[in-house]
Each structure stands twice: as structure tokens, then as C-alpha cells.
């Protein structure tokens, strides 16, 4: 069964002149594949997020774009340090990864009963679905490249048995 976590994120550009804060939620499965959303706390802008999560160690999170064709997705690669995950933010494109700053994430467990978890997961999956329907071409290409398809997931499940 998938689990849900809340996330708080602070990103700074290389010159340390601009700081962005995001909050959101993501779900992840036993393989660490994650999907969710982030919301910019200043503008209320929503971003599709996806990637890989290895609890207590590291995370590779792509912040996809769902409301602009000109903008590129960003990738956050972070490692566990003390009570948070810290690392680098890069522009993620098919032709280049360009570092643009640093970030710090806090992952928060959501304590709920199994029934509440199922309801929250259902709500989260609806929100993710809406964002997926609006992702720009660059984000869609990365999503297709990075995330396992239904066929791949079935193969992984067969291999684990």
C-alpha cells in the first residue's frame, strides 16, 4: 500500500538573493516511487512532483510545470542531514541539467488510521491527476522518461514475487 507524507521545502538561488517556500504532499510505494504536488506559499502556484524516495537517505524530486509552456522543470537531489534533506536544485531538460541553487526539505509523517489514509490517498491521487492533465511538454517528456509505466510496474511486481 502507498504511504503519504507531507513536505516542506525551501529553495534558494545561487546568489542567495531569492528564497522560495513550498508545501505539499506526496505518496510513495514500496519501491520508493513517489508522486505528489508542491504549492508555492507566496503565489499559491501548484506543481506536479514525482521521483524517487529512499526514506532516511535521499530523494530525487522533479518539480514539474503545469501552467507555462516556456518554463523548464526543476530537479531537487537531496540527501539526509540531521532532521532534513539538503541538496541542489537544477533546471532539468532533455539536453542539460543546470544547477541553479540549493534546497532543504523536511518530510513529515502523517499519522492517520488506515481508513483515513485511504481517503487521503484518494484525494491526493485526484489532485495529481488534475496536474498531470495540465503538465507542459517538457514535464511530460521527463515524466515519461523517469516514471515507470503500468507495464513496467507489473514487471517489477512479478520480479519481486
Amino acid at each position: 500500500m502507498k504511504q503519504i507524507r507531507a513536505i516542506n521545502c525551501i529553495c534558494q538561488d545561487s546568489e542567495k538573493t531569492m528564497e522560495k517556500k513550498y508545501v505539499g504532499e506526496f505518496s510513495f510505494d514500496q519501491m520508493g516511487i513517489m508522486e505528489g504536488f508542491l504549492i508555492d506559499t507566496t503565489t499559491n502556484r501548484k506543481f506536479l512532483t514525482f521521483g524517487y524516495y529512499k526514506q532516511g537517505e535521499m530523494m530525487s524530486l522533479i518539480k514539474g510545470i503545469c501552467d507555462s509552456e516556456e518554463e523548464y522543470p526543476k530537479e531537487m537531489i537531496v540527501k539526509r542531514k540531521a532532521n532534513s534533506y539538503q541538496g541542489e536544485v537544477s533546471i532539468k531538460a532533455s539536453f542539460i541539467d543546470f544547477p541553479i541553487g540549493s534546497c532543504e526539505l523536511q518530510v513529515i509523517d502523517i499519522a492517520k488510521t488506515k481508513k483515513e489514509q485511504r481517503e487521503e490517498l484518494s484525494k491526493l491521487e485526484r489532485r495529481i491527476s488534475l496536474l498531470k492533465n495540465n503538465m507542459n511538454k517538457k514535464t511530460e517528456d521527463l515524466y515519461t522518461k523517469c516514471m515507470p509505466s503500468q507495464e513496467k510496474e507489473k514487471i517489477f511486481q512479478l520480479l519481486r514475487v
Side-chain angles (χ1 to χ4, degrees), residues 16-81:
K16 308 269 190 246
T17 56
M18 191 170 77
E19 184 177 273
K20 290 273 197 172
K21 295 180 183 179
Y22 305 93
V23 296
E25 289 183 347
F26 67 90
S27 67
F28 66 98
D29 63 16
Q30 291 116 348
M31 293 173 44
I33 297 167
M34 59 184 278
E35 286 186 303
F37 67 91
L38 286 174
I39 299 173
D40 184 323
T41 60
T42 306
T43 64
N44 236 12
R45 188 174 176 203
K46 295 169 183 64
F47 301 91
L48 173 68
T49 58
F50 52 93
Y52 300 92
Y53 176 62
K54 189 164 186 182
Q55 189 169 352
E57 291 184 38
M58 62 86 58
M59 189 181 315
S60 171
L61 179 69
I62 295 174
K63 184 180 78 163
I65 308 302
C66 299
D67 59 358
S68 168
E69 285 301 321
E70 292 80 41
E71 202 172 340
Y72 285 96
K74 311 289 187 299
E75 181 178 33
M76 296 173 244
I77 297 178
V78 293
K79 292 184 180 178
R80 181 80 172 179
K81 294 209 177 166

Side-chain angles (χ1 to χ4, degrees), residues 11-20 89 91 98-103:
C11 296
Q12 280 192 316
D13 63 14
S14 304
E15 291 83 38
K16 308 269 190 246
T17 56
M18 191 170 77
E19 184 177 273
K20 290 273 197 172
V89 179
I91 291 175
F98 184 75
I100 58 170
S102 62
C103 65

Side-chain angles (χ1 to χ4, degrees), residues 1-3 28-30 113-115 117-118 121:
M1 183 175 156
K2 290 184 177 181
Q3 296 181 2
F28 66 98
D29 63 16
Q30 291 116 348
T113 66
K114 283 188 179 190
K115 182 181 178 188
Q117 276 265 340
R118 279 192 300 273
L121 187 58

